[in-house]
Amino acid sequence: MKIGRNAPCPCGSGKKYKKCCLNKARPPVDLFSRRIEDAYGRLMEQLYKFARDKLADMTMLIAAGEFLLWPGIDENPADLLIDHLELFLPWFLFNWTYDPDGTGDPVDLPAHQTIADIYADRNGDRLDSHQKQILAAINGRPFSFLEIVRCLPGHGLLLRDIFSGLENEIGAAEGFEDAQPGDMMLGRIVRVDHVVMLAGCSSILLPPGFKPMVIELRKVMKEGGRQIDSDLLIEYEPGIRRLYLMLIDHLKSPPRLQNTDGDPFLFHTVHYTIEDPREAFDKLVDLALGEDIETLKQSATLDKNGRIVRVEIPWIKRGNQMYNGWKITLLGRLKINGKKLTAEVNSESRARMIRQKIERRLGSGAVYRTTEIQSPEAAMENGRFPVGGGNPADGPGQDELMQLPEVRRQIEQMIKADWNGWVDKKLSALGNQTPRQAVKTADGREKVEALLLDARRNAEKDSVMSAIVPDIFNTVRRRLGLDVDLSPAAGKTEADGKNARLDDIKRLIEGFGRACLDGQHTGFALKLCGQIGRMRTLNIQRGRREIWAAAIVYVIARLNFLFDPAGELSITTDDICEHFGTVKSTVGNKATGIQKACRLNMGDRDFCRPEIVDMFTFYETPDGFILPGESLLKVDSRGFLPEKKRMQSGGAQALESSKPKKKKTRSKTSRGKKTADQRAGKKKAEAPLFRQLKLFDDV
């Protein structure tokens, strides 16, 4: 039996239950969370054993094929599921349903029911109260792409649903200790009582560079002005899963190695036989664009007669197709060794180009022999392009060169020049738009933010880039008009932290507004949030963000009668507390404190609809009668003014004009004299006909 808050405490103390054992009877939040998590683990184990032992043998195999979007015949679903088990099992138990028309061979299984539904029908008596709550909260709920907004102390995470924009804090998340803001996952967030939990998520985190593709899917889902809710997520569930699998495959695939022309790496060594080394050098040296010819000659090996025996010519062109900051590009190397000429390049297209140039310049003086081709893997095994600093005997290695100030300065200039050109470079991730064009829309801005975050992460791994990352990326952000600074958090002030917290609370309010309110009431709530942030009497930096957001919405709902079920727009306290995961009494007390601190009453012009403002506006007539403001518009035939704007000025004159005029007389002592106000040119203030009253102060 439930004990009332004001009932005598059953312990016999003589106190009210709320003053005695009420709080003692409630388990701490952490303890309750552990109980829910333990119940979820036991429920998963029971459902899995039931599906494995009691249902048809083909059940899980059919579900696996559907989850993986029906892989090829030669692919084993069990092998493909290894990386997705933490996502597949919750999907299989709570989302998958058997469709007899969608499979080849019939299976003895109830159609269009989840495994959880089937288990509850047959063994519902084996579930405890917590398990029943969890099953009701999870069953049939869709998955979505979740973005990590912030990593919280104790390995907790603040997650934002990329599709709906809703944010939720979850407790310690195992397996995500190395997660960073901007990482993404496919998962499902549910609330059981006041506990927020991840009920299934991908074990592999996706980098922010993939976010533009998720945003494109969101754009498709919103076509026609559709609001993204659970029903729409369920409708697009196969498409969401297809995108997730594609991104995972892309992440696991080895990177496509290519040169700065965009051609795949494929090392070619072209061999020729030549007649005269000196003649070949003279005709090919112009390929070394910008190099000093005399310096190249001095580097050559000569015989005892002073003739060239061995020399190397770099093949250089101006500019770079991929990096705007590069002034030159090294395309390959030509080596002359006696009667042999070899050209080394790193792609098939460059091999064709160099053959044309050699044969056009040397003509019959060069005879083509063969071309050796090596893959990047074989080239690395053979030391074709060295890993690390190279052989010290061959001269200074890369690491040594990078310690030279002039080398680092030159590279930094090239990198900065390239990023300066990036803002006007068309990118496929932005729909073939430039970043400067993309930031003009909300979706494009979000895509550019994700690309910059991904690029920054990769740059910080490089010893050269890490030193200049803040300067480069903050410059790019300023050029694009992005207002959030990516500087290290150590330099942030207390005001920055307060503004960030306000932004978090506003996002929570906006999420509730999209789900339950209209634009007008959401605007009231956001305005009140901003006002609280400027007050000294209320410290918005203390307490849970969800409680602040819920209390602010509660105040607006109270001022605008949104708790009235007969209204056009109606919500309940349960709607608010369930959405934000808060307790009713806590939210109610916080809302009352806000209302008192801000001195908000019914009819407040800043936070109430106009019809409510009119309802609580009263006026006092010269005779001392008090009338509601609305009545002044309806009794014009009785002598009242029809427009409220004219009630302050001109009303007194209208009243005076209806009285009999008296002859003006002036005493002898006052003749020819003026008051101080008259001499100063001031006019006497006219008294208003009606005095506006504040309901909660004057009446």
Side-chain angles (χ1 to χ4, degrees):
M1 182 181 72
K2 184 176 181 180
I3 305 171
R5 287 172 52 84
N6 292 312
C9 187
C11 73
S13 65
K15 298 179 181 180
K16 290 184 179 181
Y17 179 55
K18 67 181 180 182
K19 295 289 187 180
C20 188
C21 294
L22 173 62
N23 292 327
K24 298 177 186 178
R26 293 182 179 179
V29 175
D30 290 343
L31 177 60
F32 188 67
S33 299
R34 288 196 294 271
R35 289 179 179 175
I36 293 295
E37 291 171 2
D38 177 66
Y40 174 65
R42 289 187 285 107
L43 177 62
M44 288 287 293
E45 185 177 357
Q46 289 173 235
L47 294 178
Y48 176 71
K49 288 183 177 179
F50 172 75
R52 183 191 63 191
D53 300 336
K54 302 297 182 181
L55 301 182
D57 295 336
M58 293 292 293
T59 300
M60 191 172 294
L61 186 62
I62 294 173
E66 184 174 336
F67 178 84
L68 296 168
L69 302 175
W70 307 111
I73 299 176
D74 56 337
E75 295 178 299
N76 185 359
D79 295 336
L80 298 176
L81 279 177
I82 291 176
D83 294 326
H84 310 292
L85 283 178
E86 293 185 19
L87 182 65
F88 168 72
L89 284 177
W91 176 87
F92 168 60
L93 298 174
F94 296 103
N95 294 79
W96 179 76
T97 60
Y98 172 59
D99 182 5
D101 299 328
T103 57
D105 299 327
V107 177
D108 184 16
L109 195 67
H112 307 298
Q113 281 187 284
T114 65
I115 303 297
D117 286 330
I118 301 171
Y119 182 84
D121 290 342
R122 300 183 186 180
N123 306 297
D125 56 338
R126 299 183 182 179
L127 299 174
D128 61 32
S129 59
H130 288 325
Q131 289 178 315
K132 290 178 180 178
Q133 284 181 292
I134 294 170
L135 193 149
I138 299 177
N139 199 29
R141 289 289 300 274
F143 287 84
S144 183
F145 278 101
L146 306 174
E147 178 185 20
I148 298 176
V149 179
R150 189 180 301 115
C151 298
L152 306 173
H155 305 299
L157 299 174
L158 175 61
L159 300 175
R160 178 189 298 133
D161 189 317
I162 298 177
F163 292 135
S164 67
L166 297 178
E167 294 186 357
N168 289 280
E169 286 186 8
I170 63 170
E174 296 182 4
F176 297 115
E177 291 80 6
D178 298 328
Q180 302 179 65
D183 286 337
M184 299 182 297
M185 67 181 79
L186 186 65
R188 168 175 51 199
I189 293 179
V190 297
R191 293 178 182 272
V192 182
D193 276 350
H194 308 302
V195 177
V196 181
M197 59 183 292
L198 265 176
C201 67
S202 56
S203 58
I204 301 176
L205 292 174
L206 298 169
F210 289 152
K211 190 177 180 182
M213 285 179 272
V214 180
I215 294 173
E216 278 300 308
L217 178 58
R218 182 181 69 188
K219 184 178 178 181
V220 173
M221 294 170 67
K222 285 185 173 182
E223 287 180 354
R226 302 181 70 180
Q227 189 76 19
I228 296 182
D229 53 16
S230 294
D231 292 336
L232 190 60
L233 288 172
I234 292 172
E235 179 183 337
Y236 275 87
E237 193 271 339
I240 294 172
R241 190 160 21 94
R242 181 178 291 106
L243 176 59
Y244 159 75
L245 294 172
M246 183 190 75
L247 295 179
I248 292 295
D249 287 343
H250 185 75
L251 186 66
K252 294 176 62 179
S253 301
R256 179 177 179 266
L257 299 176
Q258 61 182 29
N259 59 25
T260 56
D261 292 338
D263 301 323
F265 270 136
L266 198 60
F267 290 92
H268 288 63
T269 303
V270 185
H271 295 270
Y272 284 90
T273 300
I274 57 177
E275 296 179 355
D276 185 356
R278 177 55 188 260
E279 180 184 1
F281 174 82
D282 292 339
K283 292 183 178 181
L284 297 174
V285 73
D286 66 316
L287 295 175
L289 191 65
E291 293 289 307
D292 183 60
I293 298 178
E294 293 301 320
T295 302
L296 291 176
K297 287 181 179 179
Q298 292 174 8
S299 66
T301 301
L302 308 178
D303 62 11
K304 59 182 180 180
N305 297 320
R307 290 176 297 189
I308 293 177
V309 176
R310 189 179 298 107
V311 69
E312 185 173 315
I313 304 172
W315 178 24
I316 299 172
K317 75 169 184 177
R318 294 190 187 278
N320 187 272
Q321 182 174 329
M322 185 173 293
Y323 300 108
N324 297 330
W326 290 17
K327 296 180 180 180
I328 62 171
T329 301
L330 179 64
L331 300 176
R333 295 183 181 278
L334 282 69
K335 297 179 180 180
I336 297 174
N337 187 1
K339 298 287 186 177
K340 296 179 180 179
L341 168 65
T342 58
E344 297 178 351
V345 292
N346 60 18
S347 70
E348 184 179 357
S349 63
R350 289 183 181 180
R352 288 196 301 268
M353 290 172 59
I354 196 61
R355 283 193 61 183
Q356 293 173 0
K357 293 180 180 297
I358 290 173
E359 292 169 8
R360 185 167 58 247
R361 283 169 171 76
L362 300 184
S364 59
V367 179
Y368 171 74
R369 294 300 182 188
T370 187
T371 299
E372 296 178 26
I373 301 176
Q374 276 188 318
S375 66
E377 295 77 15
M380 291 182 69
E381 290 178 4
N382 297 332
R384 185 65 175 272
F385 48 93
V387 179
N391 187 354
D394 297 333
Q398 179 179 343
D399 293 338
E400 294 179 41
L401 288 173
M402 291 310 304
Q403 301 304 317
L404 300 175
E406 60 272 17
V407 174
R408 291 181 66 90
R409 194 161 43 247
Q410 180 66 25
I411 292 177
E412 288 177 8
Q413 289 176 357
M414 293 172 60
I415 294 173
K416 288 181 179 180
D418 177 58
W419 273 103
N420 285 335
W422 182 83
V423 298
D424 295 308
K425 183 178 180 180
K426 292 184 177 181
L427 304 175
S428 58
L430 300 178
N432 208 31
Q433 285 186 316
T434 67
R436 194 189 299 274
Q437 294 170 332
V439 295
K440 295 179 181 179
T441 65
D443 284 351
R445 192 181 186 87
E446 196 174 353
K447 291 179 182 179
V448 173
E449 290 273 15
L451 293 177
L452 282 174
L453 178 59
D454 196 53
R456 180 185 178 112
R457 281 195 198 172
N458 294 329
E460 287 175 340
K461 299 175 184 177
D462 184 86
S463 59
V464 180
M465 284 288 291
S466 60
I468 57 175
V469 157
D471 182 42
I472 287 179
F473 285 92
N474 289 332
T475 300
V476 171
R477 295 177 68 82
R478 284 193 295 271
R479 291 187 65 191
L480 294 174
L482 301 175
D483 53 354
V484 180
D485 192 4
L486 284 178
S487 299
K492 291 189 176 180
T493 64
E494 183 178 351
D496 295 330
K498 184 176 183 180
N499 291 334
R501 187 175 177 86
L502 275 172
D503 290 340
D504 290 343
I505 295 172
K506 287 181 178 179
R507 279 194 291 268
L508 291 173
I509 293 172
E510 289 172 347
F512 182 83
R514 284 191 292 269
C516 302
L517 299 177
D518 56 18
Q520 184 180 33
H521 293 95
T522 303
F524 288 153
L526 294 174
K527 185 177 181 180
L528 178 56
C529 182
Q531 179 175 322
I532 293 171
R534 296 188 295 270
M535 296 177 64
R536 294 183 179 181
T537 54
L538 292 173
N539 187 0
I540 204 167
Q541 291 184 279
R542 297 183 60 184
R544 288 178 56 201
R545 297 171 179 83
E546 291 82 359
I547 294 176
W548 278 105
I552 290 170
V553 171
Y554 192 104
V555 171
I556 297 302
R558 181 188 285 169
L559 294 177
N560 290 274
F561 298 101
L562 298 185
F563 294 135
D564 181 5
E568 292 184 7
L569 178 62
S570 174
I571 61 174
T572 65
T573 53
D574 289 332
D575 293 334
I576 297 175
C577 295
E578 182 179 348
H579 180 90
F580 292 106
T582 52
V583 180
K584 289 183 185 179
S585 58
T586 304
V587 173
N589 293 335
K590 176 72 77 174
T592 301
I594 291 173
Q595 202 164 342
K596 288 181 179 179
C598 298
R599 298 181 180 180
L600 300 178
N601 294 313
M602 297 296 182
D604 190 288
R605 293 183 179 276
D606 291 329
F607 300 106
C608 293
R609 301 194 305 274
E611 60 268 26
I612 296 178
V613 174
D614 291 341
M615 184 190 309
F616 287 92
T617 302
F618 290 79
Y619 292 90
E620 182 183 5
T621 70
D623 298 329
F625 291 103
I626 297 175
L627 298 174
E630 289 184 331
S631 66
L632 297 181
L633 301 178
K634 302 175 182 178
V635 292
D636 185 54
S637 60
R638 297 173 57 188
F640 295 107
L641 297 176
E643 297 181 14
K644 283 189 280 185
K645 291 184 178 179
R646 295 168 53 193
M647 288 189 295
Q648 300 296 331
S649 63
Q653 295 178 1
L655 187 62
E656 291 293 333
S657 63
S658 63
K659 297 180 180 179
K661 294 185 178 180
K662 295 182 180 180
K663 185 177 180 180
K664 293 182 180 180
T665 60
R666 189 169 51 177
S667 65
K668 293 181 180 180
T669 57
S670 64
R671 290 177 183 175
K673 295 182 179 180
K674 295 183 178 180
T675 65
D677 287 345
Q678 288 173 333
R679 286 194 298 271
K682 296 181 180 178
K683 294 183 179 180
K684 187 177 181 181
E686 297 173 346
L689 178 59
F690 303 111
R691 186 168 70 92
Q692 184 176 351
L693 305 178
K694 294 181 180 178
L695 177 62
F696 294 92
D697 294 338
D698 300 319
V699 178

